[in-house]
Amino acid sequence: MKLDKHWFTEICEEGGSAFSLKIRGKLHEERTPYQTIAIYETEDFGNLMVIDGFIMLSSRDNFLYHEMMAHPALFTHDRPRRVLIIGGGDCGTLREVLRHAEVEQVWQVEIDERVTRLAETYFPELCEANDDPRAHFHFGDGIQWVRDAAAEHYDVIIVDSTDPIGPAEGLFTEPFYRDCHRALAPGGVLVQQSESPLYHLDIIRGMRRAMAGAGFDDQLTLTFPQCVYPSGWWTATMAGKGRSLTRFREDDAARRPFPTRYYNEATHRAALAQPPFLSEALARE
Ligand code: SAM
């Protein structure tokens, strides 16, 4: 990370690239027991949250990521009633999940309570559903939570984590996916942020291998734009327990009674399309 007076820059060594945002100033920085969290005010992207030097989200473009972490998985499931979010402390994914009326309970398990408290201050729009009585907050390790979970308890598990280093490393491993598989009811869906399709194919391949090893029947990697992340292009990988992932409730998605800015039934269908370089790389497994 390089920072001069007017720019925040995140360097992506493995991609040989960098991304910069023009900033007005730093609003906050603190070291928690888990990580260093910084908040900046930018010129054109609203507020920016950075953890350990890596951009987590900006006010301007987080809708792309949060909508694609929530809606494809929820519209793939036949009737998602019980949802678990691991990580996701900024609460943007939670807000999208709570838009689904058939969801009865959502548990959010975030290791670092400070991420949520800072989101309440600097990204209040993402936290506007936090008082929904269906939402339950637990601040602790998501790996342990899933290890302790009752069998077949959840319909959808969303892993909205940081990159596979530090406290999030274990969220990309076969033992964790085995616990998720056990905690999902038959027909359940797991979805996890899976980094850049251009820079991180090894991570995506490793995740899918681990998900298959854990017993998931089908995996599908969705791509979508996300300009503040390395390469500007991102993925979410879904895994199904006893179900296919290419069919979804298209009519319900088309008639959704809530606003979205990126997700609709057409962008969902488009995200299912696999570019040749991706399907060829994944087929080599
Ligand atoms: N969209 C973001 C991205 O991909 O850059 C991720 C946003 S969200 C802020 C990620 C959250 O995962 C962080 O708040 C972090 O504290 C949390 N996290 C990391 N490891 C975790 C674990 N083992 N259990 C629960 N939460 C974890």
Side-chain angles (χ1 to χ4, degrees):
M1 182 188 65
K2 177 174 163 285
L3 184 66
D4 75 15
K5 199 160 167 283
H6 301 294
W7 292 88
F8 172 85
T9 297
E10 177 183 325
I11 292 171
C12 176
E13 288 291 349
E14 67 275 24
S17 66
F19 179 74
S20 295
L21 285 171
K22 195 166 194 183
I23 55 165
R24 291 191 183 141
K26 191 189 279 184
L27 300 174
H28 184 84
E29 184 169 68
E30 70 181 74
R31 171 91 204 135
T32 75
Y34 305 100
Q35 50 212 355
T36 298
I37 312 171
I39 311 283
Y40 297 89
E41 183 184 6
T42 72
E43 286 287 345
D44 297 298
F45 279 71
N47 286 348
L48 178 74
M49 182 186 283
V50 176
I51 293 185
D52 290 339
F54 298 108
I55 292 177
M56 292 291 117
L57 68 145
S58 81
S59 312
R60 183 173 179 183
D61 76 341
N62 75 78
F63 67 95
L64 297 156
Y65 176 89
H66 289 137
E67 291 181 15
M68 291 304 282
M69 287 298 288
H71 303 311
L74 288 169
F75 280 120
T76 296
H77 197 280
D78 303 325
R79 195 175 164 212
R81 278 171 290 182
R82 300 159 79 86
V83 178
L84 171 65
I85 300 171
I86 301 210
D90 55 69
C91 301
T93 299
L94 175 65
R95 182 185 68 172
E96 296 306 314
V97 168
L98 289 166
R99 293 191 196 280
H100 291 250
E102 67 274 34
V103 168
E104 294 169 3
Q105 312 268 0
V106 190
W107 290 263
Q108 177 158 286
V109 182
E110 161 63 55
I111 204 165
D112 192 345
E113 181 170 359
R114 290 302 300 154
V115 175
T116 300
R117 300 298 162 235
L118 291 171
E120 286 165 352
T121 302
Y122 295 105
F123 300 89
E125 69 283 8
L126 300 183
C127 298
E128 65 193 16
N130 287 7
D131 292 332
D132 189 310
R134 297 173 293 160
H136 309 286
F137 294 87
H138 174 80
F139 295 104
D141 184 7
I143 299 166
Q144 188 63 44
W145 181 274
V146 178
R147 201 177 290 146
D148 296 340
E152 304 190 356
H153 190 66
Y154 300 107
D155 298 312
V156 175
I157 298 177
I158 300 175
V159 187
D160 179 1
S161 76
T162 38
D163 301 334
I165 41 173
E169 200 173 343
L171 296 170
F172 292 76
T173 63
E174 190 172 318
F176 170 70
Y177 297 136
R178 219 176 292 127
D179 290 332
C180 289
H181 189 271
R182 193 183 50 78
L184 279 169
V189 179
L190 168 70
V191 62
Q192 179 166 15
Q193 78 86 5
S194 48
E195 311 283 306
S196 162
L198 216 49
Y199 294 170
H200 303 125
L201 274 173
D202 285 353
I203 293 176
I204 299 172
R205 269 202 296 256
M207 286 172 68
R208 292 174 57 121
R209 198 183 312 125
M211 287 167 168
F216 284 97
D217 305 286
D218 193 16
Q219 292 129 59
L220 191 61
T221 297
L222 310 174
T223 60
F224 52 93
Q226 187 63 72
C227 78
V228 301
Y229 289 169
S231 84
W233 199 21
W234 216 242
T235 63
T237 295
M238 293 200 292
K241 179 172 176 174
R243 70 165 323 117
S244 141
L245 300 164
T246 46
R247 296 232 307 268
F248 64 104
R249 292 182 287 122
E250 290 199 39
D251 289 346
D252 291 346
R255 284 189 263 106
R256 69 200 176 285
F258 52 80
T260 52
R261 294 175 65 206
Y262 182 75
Y263 179 86
N264 64 17
E265 70 285 6
T267 52
H268 187 150
R269 266 198 310 277
L272 297 176
Q274 302 287 287
F277 84 93
L278 185 60
S279 45
E280 281 160 22
L282 299 178
R284 268 186 256 127
E285 272 309 299

